[in-house]
Amino acid sequence: MTDDLVALTWAAPVHSGGKPVTGYQVQMRKKGQPDWKDVTYSRNNKAVIKDDLEVDDEVEFRVIPENEAGRGMPSPSSGLIKVREPPSEFQYFAND
């Protein structure tokens, strides 16, 4: 995670109601907020989020699988993740 994006991956649900998962609704919630916000939709188990992130924000994510039968249960929360600044410079360590 950096100050302008976060890359997420997750495992497919163990049970999908007998139909294949066709996509995932990804949701985010900032610390202290009661409601989850839809931030993107993914057809696989990966997503890049670039949505209203500021340094020192603490955010959490969850995904909701979908198939032809509808939406499944939300995944457990990722837990709070603190947004940090990206490295300011490239560091190279050479063998002396």
Side-chain angles (χ1 to χ4, degrees):
M1 174 180 273
T2 68
D3 67 339
D4 62 354
L5 69 87
V6 60
L8 301 173
T9 61
W10 56 89
V14 175
H15 303 287
S16 63
K19 301 288 184 185
V21 173
T22 56
Y24 299 88
Q25 181 63 58
V26 180
Q27 296 183 322
M28 180 179 82
R29 177 170 67 181
K30 289 187 177 182
K31 182 179 181 179
Q33 293 183 346
D35 298 323
W36 290 92
K37 175 182 171 184
D38 290 348
V39 290
T40 195
Y41 186 85
S42 177
R43 298 229 176 258
N44 57 40
N45 68 332
K46 299 174 186 170
V48 175
I49 310 300
K50 193 171 183 171
D51 182 57
D52 193 26
L53 298 174
E54 296 181 22
V55 173
D56 293 329
D57 280 348
E58 291 184 67
V59 295
E60 59 186 323
F61 298 93
R62 70 180 185 183
V63 296
I64 301 172
E66 295 183 358
N67 63 18
E68 65 183 57
R71 280 186 164 193
M73 296 297 294
S75 69
S77 164
S78 64
L80 288 172
I81 302 167
K82 189 168 188 173
V83 178
R84 61 178 173 79
E85 295 215 23
S88 59
E89 63 183 64
F90 176 78
Q91 293 184 357
Y92 178 74
F93 299 98
N95 291 332
D96 291 326

